[in-house]
Amino acid sequence: MGAAVKPMAVAMRPMVLPAILVWGGNALADYVERGDPIACWAIALTLAAVAARAAPRVGSATTLALAWGVAAFGAARFQLLTETPRAGEYRLEGNVDARRTDAEGDCLTLAVASIDGVPTAFRAKLWNRSDATALPVLPGQRVIAQARIRPYYPTGNPGEVNPGPLRRRERLTATGSFDGRMAVLASAPAPWTAWRSKQWVSLDRASRDVIASDSAASLVLAVAAGRRGLLDGEATDAFARSGLSHALSVSGLHIGVVALAAAWVFRWVMTRRIFRGLRTVDPRRVLAPFVALLAWSYVWFTGMNAPAVRAGLMVTVGIGGWIFFRRSDALNALAVAFVVMVFLDPAAPADLSVQLSFAAVASLIILSNRLLPNWNFAWPRRKWFRWILRVAFTSAAGSLAATLGTAPLVFGAFHRMSIIGVVANVIALPICAALTVCSASAVAVHAVAPALALPVLRLAGWLASMLLSVTSAAASFPWAVVEGPNPPTWIAVLWWAGLAAFALGKKSWRCLGIGAPLAAFFLFAHAPSERVVVTFLSVGQGDAVLIEAGGIAALIDGGGVPGGADTGERFILPYLRQRRISTLALVALSHAHPDHALGLSAVLRAIPVKRVLLPRDVGRGELVEELLLAAGDATVEEAELGDPPIRLANAELRILGPLGGRVASDLENDRSLVLELVHGDITFLFPGDVERFGEEVLPFEAATVVKVPHHGSLTSSTEAFVRTVHPQVAVFCVGRGNRYGFPKSEIMDRYKRVGATCYRTDSDGAVTIASDGTSIEVLTAL
């Protein structure tokens, strides 16, 4: 144990180089706009013929690997040849690729074959506007529906996960909605798909009948049928914080356990007297087809998700070694799985789940032995105790290797990483393995005799409850999770290069492993700047403004749409993590309208806030009550014109409105909290949604930057107001394609006539303006 991993010999792992070149060719397609797929495949065939002719001379293997890479580039370019429809309402016809029904609603992914009768080729994600049960559709069925669709828009804020490359690869270029009551099913589902769906429903009912805990039953269904969406958000978050998310998604652990359990059972049966005649045959050669069939049956029943397919391919390669009396190499099997997946689905490498799966397994193979302590386990007298120690240290080393290998991807996607998982996995893995065996057995027995599956489901429920308890305990540790920004590419490369040097290097070359801690230092090192930075976030039709001054941060408004996505969770919190902001000195609500208030509750619940500022006499409606409940121990104050300014390091936040007890408008917009940030000679004005009355009576003065009131509507930004403020920069916080038609062209022209440069969060994305006290610098996300 603890022996260093030797450099890989290409002769022993012939698929490693092709896999690297296949990955390179696939990735290159995103950056090269030209490339005829047919020509690429012709070049690949030519290179393969040259390699076959030259074999076994030096260079023939490299030439053949290059042919793989060129073919992968052609396959990726072919998949990128798709259409992007214009926004509008159309009659769509196509096959359902996937269906998801959860708390967010009923969503179909449709492979569109025609639009208003005209042949086309793209995929659209469509939400059912009617009751989720109105359209009993299964994957593979033909659907005709009248749908409102629009192209996918690019992400508008730094730090957000950018799904654009994956959407392009998957030809998923549009989203929209349809009325399920008016949709027509043009074909019946495939018999095997209908049978699987029926089994899922029956297994769900049986599980909830015999398992008392709803969370435990949902976890059993996640492992047994791949339906992790049934688990509630709180439990899912606990799995993420504890580093045990892999227990929810059917992947290598589950497929490997099923394959090993099946092999053990088959081998035990073959050694019985009734099969005495088979004792002269190598049992592995007889078992191989049955084990592979069971493993792939489990992969199919759980939904054919990418990590499970990867594991199924690796198991198949390993079982192939049994048949041909060859020892399977894990790294070579991983390379084979990658090549097969890329050619079956060129979009796979852009999928985060695929990236995490392959990075975790590669780290386990390459790095885990280096992390194992080179200790002598002979000192415990009891053999079983030595075995437990060996298993515990091996599990911890494997968990640490997977955590380190996937760290850049995890930070990039979730802005946080679990560190308690290294310990939690040692306890949870045996429970998860037992749960997998019970759940898979329950599926097999339930398909034949449902009544006999009930005791197995009850045992699976008990194991699921144990796993949930371990997960909850691990997630509750104060330092269970480390939060951080999305690492730049150069930091991720430095990190992985350092890990590779540590794992594969010899003697002095191992010192290059210092690259990994250096990458971590550069990622987390952060010194407060003397500049004041104001970011107008792109949160759809609404306002959310972040102020950073000398290490102090303040947030004004949080955006939001009733019934829509939580803007705090989706936009604001990822950006705060990207900016390494863990505490807010101030959260201010301009007025109690959804497009300003809804996103603040999630922020107040997620990070500590010292002070919450509301406009005077804001009232106690539902929005405000929810915000006050989320505020917890924060100091809550109401402000009006004349209250003392608030100091934010080297900047000052002045209160210009509302008027309070003086004559005021009946409109809540005119009672907005109006703030002015002063940094040296630079002034930022945040007038909320004040309209004509507020603009006339409040003491506005010239400002360098103005957040345009009321999103650029005709009821605000009067000629007098614009001339008085006379900004250099005007920022319109608006949603793309909003139903109000904001901002109005007359208002934009009004600001331009006084010399202002106009920015819009719908088309420019987040607008970041940095001030040094005398001048400003503007940067847009798009």
Side-chain angles (χ1 to χ4, degrees), residues 518-544:
L518 278 177
F521 172 78
F522 286 130
L523 179 65
F524 289 100
H526 178 64
S529 171
E530 292 299 318
R531 299 200 307 173
V532 168
V533 180
V534 177
T535 303
F536 302 84
L537 292 171
S538 177
V539 293
Q541 183 59 31
D543 289 9

Side-chain angles (χ1 to χ4, degrees), residues 270 272-281:
M270 287 184 63
R272 301 304 94 192
R273 290 184 179 181
I274 191 173
F275 295 104
R276 187 177 300 173
L278 295 176
R279 293 185 182 180
T280 58
V281 181

Side-chain angles (χ1 to χ4, degrees), residues 390-702:
R390 187 173 286 109
V391 170
F393 280 114
T394 302
S395 299
S399 178
L400 180 58
T403 300
L404 293 174
T406 58
L409 297 173
V410 172
F411 273 123
F414 308 110
H415 298 279
R416 65 179 185 177
M417 183 181 72
S418 172
I419 57 175
I420 195 67
V422 176
V423 178
N425 274 285
V426 176
I427 304 171
L429 282 177
I431 303 173
C432 188
L435 174 61
T436 300
V437 172
C438 286
S439 300
S441 301
V443 169
V445 175
H446 186 271
V448 180
L452 297 179
L454 298 182
V456 186
L457 283 172
R458 189 174 287 110
L459 176 59
W462 179 71
L463 291 168
S465 297
M466 287 181 59
L467 185 57
L468 286 168
S469 298
V470 172
T471 301
S472 178
S476 64
F477 276 82
W479 300 100
V481 172
V482 174
E483 295 188 346
N486 184 358
T489 302
W490 70 270
I491 285 184
V493 170
L494 182 60
W495 173 266
W496 280 318
L499 293 181
F502 171 76
L504 305 176
K506 289 185 177 181
K507 297 180 181 178
S508 59
W509 286 99
R510 290 189 67 190
C511 69
L512 295 177
I514 194 66
L518 278 177
F521 172 78
F522 286 130
L523 179 65
F524 289 100
H526 178 64
S529 171
E530 292 299 318
R531 299 200 307 173
V532 168
V533 180
V534 177
T535 303
F536 302 84
L537 292 171
S538 177
V539 293
Q541 183 59 31
D543 289 9
V545 183
L546 180 69
I547 301 170
E548 300 171 75
I552 297 176
L555 177 68
I556 303 173
D557 289 337
V561 177
D566 190 319
T567 51
E569 290 282 355
R570 182 174 178 182
F571 303 113
I572 301 173
L573 286 173
Y575 186 72
L576 293 178
R577 297 185 185 113
Q578 178 71 13
R579 297 294 298 170
R580 305 175 178 88
I581 295 171
S582 57
T583 303
L584 288 171
L586 175 70
V587 166
L589 172 66
S590 63
H591 61 295
H593 281 174
D595 57 336
H596 295 255
L598 282 178
L600 291 180
S601 295
V603 176
L604 289 167
R605 287 191 297 266
I607 62 175
V609 175
K610 297 179 180 178
R611 189 176 181 182
V612 176
L613 197 64
L614 306 174
R616 182 73 67 188
D617 300 327
V618 68
R620 288 294 183 269
E622 182 179 346
L623 289 173
V624 176
E625 289 295 339
E626 182 181 353
L627 189 148
L628 294 177
L629 181 63
D633 297 331
T635 302
V636 180
E637 303 174 7
E638 294 185 3
E640 64 181 0
L641 177 64
D643 285 349
I646 300 168
R647 196 72 193 173
L648 299 176
N650 55 347
E652 189 176 73
L653 196 62
R654 299 172 182 172
I655 301 168
L656 303 185
L659 287 173
R662 307 179 190 183
V663 178
S665 168
D666 292 332
L667 296 175
E668 180 145 5
N669 284 346
D670 280 325
R671 299 196 297 272
S672 293
L673 180 66
V674 179
L675 301 172
E676 182 182 59
L677 181 70
V678 180
H679 178 229
D681 298 332
I682 304 300
T683 303
F684 295 83
L685 179 61
F686 310 106
D689 277 357
V690 295
E691 301 191 32
R692 286 191 180 92
F693 179 84
E695 292 177 355
E696 291 173 358
V697 300
L698 292 177
F700 290 113
E701 297 179 350

Side-chain angles (χ1 to χ4, degrees), residues 541 708 710-713 732-735 738 740-748 759-760 762:
Q541 183 59 31
V708 175
H710 204 199
H711 318 288
S713 74
F732 294 83
C733 295
V734 291
N738 65 84
Y740 309 103
F742 295 158
K744 298 298 184 181
S745 57
E746 302 96 308
I747 302 301
M748 291 190 69
Y759 295 93
R760 302 169 46 156
D762 59 345

